[in-house]
Amino acid sequence: MVLILGRRLNHENSGGAPESPAIKRKVFEMDSKNLNEVYNFSSGSSHAETVLQVFNEFRDSRLFTDVIISVQGREFPCHRAVLSASSSYFRAMFCNDHRESQEMLVEINGIQADAMDTFLQYVYTGRACINTNNVQFLFETSSLFHIVTLRDACAKFLEEQLDPCNCLGIQRFADAHSLKQLASRCRCFALQNFPEVAQHEEFLDLRKDELEEYLGSDELSVGREEFVFEAVMRWVYHNVEYRRPVLKDLLQHVRLPLLHPNYFVQTVEGDQLIQNAPECYQLLHEARRYHVLGNEMMSPRTRPRRSTGFSEVIVVVGGCERVGGFNLPYTECYDPVTGEWKSLAKHPEYTKSEYAVCALRNDILVSVGGYDGQCCLSNVEVYDSFSNRWTEVTPMEEAVYSPAVTSCAGKLFVIGGQPNESTCSNKVQCFDPETDSWQLKACVPFTKPNISAVSLNNLIYVCGGLTKAIYCYDPSHDHWMHVVSTFNKQESCGISVCNGKIYILGGRGENGEASDNILSYDPASGIITGVAAMPRPITYHGCVTIQRFSEKHRKP
């Protein structure tokens, strides 16, 4: 039987035989100039939405479905074409010679039935209901089926749910699925809310390496370092039998020197677990020394966290723009983290030059000496800030002026200098305050004037003397080594340790002109880089690092 669909012919008034089956249609006459015009019609996204809606209705009524997806024993009738159009996972399954391409029932393991239901709702409607109960399983399902938009929506939902009680768990989930942006947001959230985060159960389940990563961060936001110590002890005591051996490793990241002295004595030294941990005694001793000496005793644990409002800054005192030029009265501080310079009170004795600058309990001391205008001096005096008195001690082995001087491992090192205007010394003179005696150590690898030295992590770093290099001295082995080359030959530089790095500021080159360059050397990575310039070229200046409170943290 053949069914022919066509228009009904009107034989009225035909007056004769029917017309030929070839129906003549009248063609509208068009202007020749409009023959090439085209009307491109589009119904927009509504057409695709209507088609998807109809397919979803087909799915609900099992109309035209050609495959059943089975998850946890629950069956989901679907259309292979729709699944393949939405997911490369299903396209590979149904379009290749896989067994599933021929079977009516396909079982998928490793996902939840409810997550599959929500996933199919998204495939057939473009919409999904994401909540705290299904987000993890829906993320894993969309990842399995390569639906990036739904997976990213789940990650965005998790980001919006961050709370002190769940941020650590979400970060672990993000790390496991290589969600770098979500993991970074979780870490920032935990850093910014650390005191609250440390009160929840997830904190107690952190691995040692995860906890150390937080403790060691300068960005850890705490009003007082006491919060950090209490968090560590809470974590250790939660499983004290197994966590007691790592107590020292964790306390190395707690800035014990910055604890209030009363809290340190009563709470830290009074803790029974710490009292029975001899391996921690050195950390306690470091904190005690800092409470007495202040910034004269520096370590990674004496550096304040940014959230306290205090930060380490480098203070540049005096100097001049060129040899024989006018001495400058300026005192300015530089924050290496922000790159900002700030002017401080001018130096009252700026007409003098070649003085020494040091910090004592965050106070800056400026001394003038080494040369009395006629000869070099070998005398040494010790200043006691408690009694505000100077006391003479044993003189140096060799009288020099303009040496590089720094303290390291409880001793004072006088490096190089000039015995007179025509010669330089390469001697290293070491003073032991315990015995009031001097010893000569291994000589500097070069004999140059106008060198600078600084101490970091029980090592001494020396630069300047137009050497285009940084050398390192290890007092424990009495050994010198070349560590890195600088970009230019400089002498009479300022040098200071700030935030665990060595900064070389200004100085003068071979042409005698002062420089405004700043170099940063990171001993941990061995990398030297150029950073922000100084406000002006300068040489023969003093440099020292102190802790300074930022006005931005001051409450209104």
Side-chain angles (χ1 to χ4, degrees):
M1 177 178 179
V2 178
L3 178 64
I4 300 177
L5 301 178
R7 76 171 54 181
R8 182 178 179 178
L9 299 178
N10 186 359
H11 297 290
E12 295 180 3
N13 301 322
S14 60
E19 294 183 2
S20 168
I23 307 299
K24 293 183 179 180
R25 294 181 176 85
K26 183 176 181 180
V27 177
F28 292 104
E29 293 183 0
M30 304 290 291
D31 193 325
S32 61
K33 66 181 181 181
N34 296 325
L35 292 179
N36 294 327
E37 290 190 2
V38 177
Y39 174 36
N40 292 318
F41 170 73
S42 172
S43 61
S45 60
S46 62
H47 175 71
E49 291 178 358
T50 301
V51 172
L52 265 182
Q53 181 180 352
V54 172
F55 265 108
N56 195 39
E57 293 171 358
F58 287 166
R59 180 173 70 98
D60 291 338
S61 59
R62 297 199 174 194
L63 188 61
F64 304 127
T65 57
D66 54 4
V67 68
I68 297 176
I69 305 297
S70 177
V71 177
Q72 291 185 324
R74 184 174 168 185
E75 296 184 347
F76 299 91
C78 301
H79 304 87
R80 295 175 191 267
V82 175
L83 294 178
S84 298
S86 303
S87 164
S88 60
Y89 176 93
F90 285 110
R91 186 157 56 250
M93 175 186 289
F94 296 140
C95 297
N96 296 329
D97 294 331
H98 293 297
R99 174 174 54 85
E100 293 86 354
S101 64
Q102 305 298 325
E103 294 184 351
M104 186 63 183
L105 181 67
V106 175
E107 185 176 356
I108 298 180
N109 299 314
I111 60 176
Q112 283 200 342
D114 288 343
M116 186 66 189
D117 187 25
T118 305
F119 169 79
L120 290 175
Q121 287 290 334
Y122 176 77
V123 168
Y124 277 86
T125 67
R127 298 177 178 85
C129 180
I130 305 173
N131 55 51
T132 55
N133 294 324
N134 70 5
V135 61
Q136 177 177 341
F137 303 109
L138 187 57
F139 176 93
E140 294 169 347
T141 302
S142 56
S143 294
L144 174 65
F145 297 144
H146 306 161
I147 307 295
V148 177
T149 52
L150 183 56
R151 183 198 65 184
D152 291 347
C154 292
K156 180 66 175 176
F157 177 83
L158 286 172
E159 185 177 320
E160 293 172 350
Q161 303 306 308
L162 288 179
D163 186 85
C165 70
N166 65 21
C167 61
L168 298 179
I170 294 178
Q171 179 177 357
R172 185 169 291 177
F173 177 83
D175 288 334
H177 293 86
S178 300
L179 297 172
K180 294 183 179 179
Q181 178 175 327
L182 179 59
S184 176
R185 295 288 176 85
C186 291
R187 184 175 185 273
C188 290
F189 184 90
L191 287 170
Q192 291 300 314
N193 299 274
F194 184 78
E196 295 85 1
V197 171
Q199 298 301 315
H200 292 279
E201 291 299 314
E202 282 189 350
F203 175 79
L204 300 177
D205 293 331
L206 283 174
R207 299 192 308 269
K208 171 179 174 282
D209 61 309
E210 292 174 329
L211 179 56
E212 285 185 297
E213 184 179 358
Y214 283 110
L215 299 177
S217 174
D218 284 337
E219 303 305 319
L220 192 69
S221 183
V222 288
R224 299 180 296 112
E225 190 68 17
E226 286 79 359
F227 288 132
V228 184
F229 173 77
E230 290 164 4
V232 167
M233 300 310 294
R234 181 169 178 260
W235 186 88
V236 172
Y237 275 112
H238 180 67
N239 194 351
V240 67
E241 181 179 355
Y242 293 98
R243 294 177 176 179
R244 182 200 304 265
V246 302
L247 178 60
K248 178 191 175 184
D249 294 338
L250 298 176
L251 288 181
Q252 284 182 329
H253 300 289
V254 180
R255 310 194 177 183
L256 296 177
L258 303 183
L259 299 177
H260 191 279
N262 291 341
Y263 181 92
F264 176 78
V265 172
Q266 297 174 10
T267 305
V268 179
E269 293 190 314
D271 184 89
Q272 194 67 32
L273 194 60
I274 293 178
Q275 288 181 357
N276 294 318
E279 67 275 13
C280 298
Y281 289 175
Q282 184 59 39
L283 294 173
L284 304 181
H285 179 63
E286 177 187 78
R288 294 190 205 101
R289 290 188 61 216
Y290 183 82
H291 291 156
V292 174
L293 300 176
N295 277 10
E296 186 179 346
M297 202 291 300
M298 298 181 67
S299 84
R301 285 166 293 278
T302 63
R303 186 168 65 246
R305 302 184 195 269
R306 303 291 295 181
S307 62
T308 62
F310 287 90
S311 60
E312 286 190 344
V313 297
I314 300 173
V315 177
V316 178
V317 181
C320 57
E321 294 179 338
R322 64 183 185 276
V323 178
F326 293 107
N327 294 321
L328 300 173
Y330 306 114
T331 303
E332 293 166 304
C333 76
Y334 168 63
D335 187 336
V337 175
T338 63
E340 296 177 345
W341 285 89
K342 185 176 180 62
S343 296
L344 304 179
K346 291 184 178 180
H347 192 292
E349 299 287 339
Y350 71 92
T351 55
K352 300 177 181 178
S353 64
E354 297 187 46
Y355 38 75
V357 180
C358 68
L360 178 63
R361 289 192 297 280
N362 219 45
D363 292 329
I364 298 176
L365 304 182
V366 180
S367 63
V368 180
Y371 185 71
D372 63 1
Q374 296 181 349
C375 62
C376 292
L377 305 177
S378 64
N379 59 298
V380 179
E381 296 179 66
V382 174
Y383 174 68
D384 184 344
S385 61
F386 290 103
S387 61
N388 193 30
R389 293 174 56 189
W390 287 91
T391 305
E392 277 202 35
V393 293
T394 303
M396 291 187 291
E397 295 283 326
E398 179 182 43
V400 291
Y401 69 92
S402 296
V405 182
T406 187
S407 62
C408 183
K411 297 180 180 180
L412 189 69
F413 291 82
V414 178
I415 304 168
Q418 294 184 253
N420 52 64
E421 293 185 1
S422 59
T423 61
C424 296
S425 172
N426 64 353
K427 293 180 180 178
V428 175
Q429 305 181 66
C430 175
F431 177 71
D432 186 346
E434 297 292 330
T435 61
D436 188 21
S437 62
W438 290 87
Q439 280 187 326
L440 293 178
K441 300 293 184 178
C443 293
V444 190
F446 56 88
T447 305
K448 297 284 186 179
N450 304 320
I451 62 176
S452 306
V454 74
S455 173
L456 175 62
N457 298 332
N458 290 326
L459 297 173
I460 296 174
Y461 294 86
V462 173
C463 68
L466 298 177
T467 57
K468 199 178 179 181
I470 297 178
Y471 291 88
C472 176
Y473 173 69
D474 184 351
S476 63
H477 295 89
D478 193 24
H479 175 69
W480 285 92
M481 67 194 85
H482 175 275
V483 291
V484 70
S485 296
T486 57
F487 303 129
N488 299 294
K489 292 182 178 181
Q490 295 289 113
E491 65 178 1
S492 301
C493 313
I495 186 170
S496 194
V497 172
C498 191
N499 298 327
K501 298 180 181 180
I502 297 171
Y503 287 84
I504 303 172
L505 301 92
R508 62 172 183 165
E510 294 178 280
N511 58 3
E513 294 296 322
S515 168
D516 62 357
N517 293 334
I518 303 177
L519 298 181
S520 170
Y521 173 65
D522 185 355
S525 64
I527 297 176
I528 186 169
T529 56
V531 293
M534 303 178 71
R536 63 186 62 83
I538 196 170
T539 186
Y540 287 116
H541 51 293
C543 284
V544 67
T545 295
I546 63 170
Q547 295 176 8
R548 191 168 188 271
F549 185 77
S550 172
E551 294 295 329
K552 296 178 182 179
H553 286 78
R554 193 177 300 279
K555 296 182 180 180

